[in-house]
Amino acid sequence: MDLIAMSMTRLTADNTSEFLKRFNTFYDGIVRSLQLDFANDPAGVMTVKIEVRDNQRDFNDGWVSVVSLQIKKIKESCIRSPGESYLSLDDGLHLSWHDEVAWIEVGWLVDPPQNLEELRTSYVYAVASHIWWRAEPHNIRQ
């Protein structure tokens, strides 16, 4: 495990529901960065940073936290431009587990994908077995 993952929490099928509830399924979140890196892992590591409301924070009515997701052991992924802004997660983040593998879809599909073919229609998705996360308060300049 690398140093970044050590300061993060592992996302599993057992805690995904609680995670999504804490961040209101990421509805109206803003993707601040999205990166796919193959430098240290041939399977790639997708890192996504999302500005979102955190239901466990009181400051500023929960706005704004930055949730960093580190997606590892990627079996399939896609990051492509939809030709318009997909940075606003109007329909939330879709995340589900299927036989120890997570399907994560970042803000393009309106409804959760029902199968892999539907997931593949998204502009940003990953199929992976390891997801780590961390929430930090956003530094809002006054």
Side-chain angles (χ1 to χ4, degrees):
M1 182 180 340
D2 60 36
L3 291 175
I4 293 173
M6 286 179 19
S7 65
M8 300 179 96
T9 302
R10 176 102 184 253
L11 193 57
T12 67
D14 292 335
N15 64 16
T16 293
S17 179
E18 180 181 315
F19 170 77
L20 291 173
K21 184 176 179 181
R22 174 176 173 176
F23 299 107
N24 194 34
T25 314
F26 290 80
Y27 285 112
D28 297 324
I30 303 292
V31 176
R32 290 298 178 197
S33 67
L34 186 63
Q35 177 180 332
L36 188 56
D37 180 16
F38 293 97
N40 298 313
D41 185 341
V45 176
M46 184 183 287
T47 304
V48 183
K49 292 188 178 188
I50 304 170
E51 197 172 279
V52 67
R53 182 165 189 216
D54 183 342
N55 292 323
Q56 289 186 3
R57 297 198 192 276
D58 293 330
F59 176 75
N60 202 24
D61 195 30
W63 288 95
V64 173
S65 288
V66 174
V67 175
S68 297
L69 296 168
Q70 192 175 78
I71 303 162
K72 295 182 165 188
K73 304 234 183 219
I74 297 173
K75 304 195 182 314
E76 180 178 333
S77 66
C78 179
I79 298 175
R80 60 185 165 166
S81 173
E84 59 185 80
S85 174
Y86 60 87
L87 297 178
S88 176
L89 301 180
D90 296 338
D91 296 304
L93 180 85
H94 299 114
L95 175 61
S96 58
W97 291 85
H98 308 268
D99 298 320
E100 305 295 319
V101 177
W103 295 0
I104 184 166
E105 192 276 327
V106 183
W108 187 252
L109 299 177
V110 173
D111 297 314
Q114 298 301 306
N115 53 53
L116 258 175
E117 291 73 31
E118 196 171 309
L119 178 68
R120 290 175 178 142
T121 66
S122 176
Y123 288 92
V124 181
Y125 74 88
V127 176
S129 58
H130 288 71
I131 301 176
W132 298 85
W133 70 276
R134 168 180 60 229
E136 301 172 284
H138 184 14
N139 294 327
I140 301 172
R141 297 181 187 188
Q142 304 276 333

